[in-house]
Amino acid sequence: MVSSPMEAALESDVAVWAKRGGLLFKQARRAASMNQKALAGMSGTSRTTLSAYEHGRKSPTLETAGRILDAAGFRLVLEPKVEFTARGDRPFHVPSRLWRLPVAAALGVARLRDRAYDLGVREERRAAYALLLREGGPPELLDHVDGVLLAELWDDLDLPPDIRAEWSSLVEEARHGAGVIN
């Protein structure tokens, strides 16, 4: 029996995280081309327990989650959250911090507003970043903007003064070796 609204909310949050964790285990197992029996054996748990984790019926300890993911060839990593705030009359989004992208994404192709930008070509990356900072939503920004590459391009970006002002402290932090998360 739940005795307070706070406990009910916490119980609900735990159920949501159990379900998300289960999906994570299932994705890791499938990416490793393993069945439940093989992953359970390699991680030191039973197949029925792994199945319960994957279906959100049980929640593993952090140690157990790390062991299961390790057996599938993945690491459990703590990653700071990036939150966005909408600013300006024509809203643009400003993150709480800058981030790094995997090389393939940072130098890949961004499809924006019916055009493909080759982010491996500096001039195309400059055009894409200017568009993204002016009009991009959080998912597009997270998918295509790399904090270090943004800092390198910063002086060459054609941006309205309000956008430049809102992003400049993040870029300066990145230029001084702080403020970009991996």
Side-chain angles (χ1 to χ4, degrees):
M1 176 181 216
V2 176
S3 60
S4 76
M6 180 67 107
E7 287 175 325
L10 182 59
E11 203 171 279
S12 174
D13 285 350
V14 168
V16 167
W17 282 107
K19 191 172 221 168
R20 285 184 182 168
L23 291 173
L24 183 68
F25 290 144
K26 193 179 290 185
Q27 288 173 337
R29 180 174 57 78
R30 287 181 176 161
S33 299
M34 299 174 83
N35 62 30
Q36 284 182 339
K37 183 177 178 183
L39 181 57
M42 287 184 66
S43 64
T45 192
S46 71
R47 192 210 58 77
T48 55
T49 299
L50 179 60
S51 176
Y53 294 153
E54 285 188 3
H55 291 91
R57 293 188 305 267
K58 282 181 83 174
S59 294
T61 64
L62 196 54
E63 178 185 349
T64 300
R67 196 174 63 242
I68 292 168
L69 291 172
D70 185 63
F74 293 88
R75 288 186 305 152
L76 187 58
V77 178
L78 181 66
E79 182 178 284
K81 228 163 86 167
V82 177
E83 295 177 331
F84 288 85
T85 304
R87 302 271 169 84
D89 296 332
R90 287 187 343 190
F92 59 92
H93 296 87
V94 181
S96 55
R97 61 187 62 213
L98 294 180
W99 58 93
R100 295 300 319 265
L101 293 176
V103 173
L107 301 176
V109 174
R111 297 191 190 293
L112 309 166
R113 316 298 181 264
D114 298 324
R115 179 169 169 211
Y117 295 86
D118 182 345
L119 300 177
V121 175
R122 189 177 193 283
E123 283 305 306
E124 289 193 38
R125 184 170 57 251
R126 184 185 60 74
Y129 279 21
L131 176 63
L132 285 162
L133 269 60
R134 284 191 314 268
E135 301 177 17
E140 290 175 312
L141 291 162
L142 287 169
D143 285 348
H144 302 300
V145 175
D146 178 86
V148 171
L149 294 176
L150 174 63
E152 187 273 326
L153 279 173
W154 186 248
D155 295 333
D156 297 329
L157 292 178
D158 181 21
L159 297 171
D162 58 338
I163 295 175
R164 185 168 292 282
E166 292 288 344
W167 280 77
S168 64
S169 63
L170 295 166
V171 170
E172 286 307 312
E173 287 177 22
R175 285 180 165 173
H176 293 97
V180 179
I181 57 175
N182 290 322

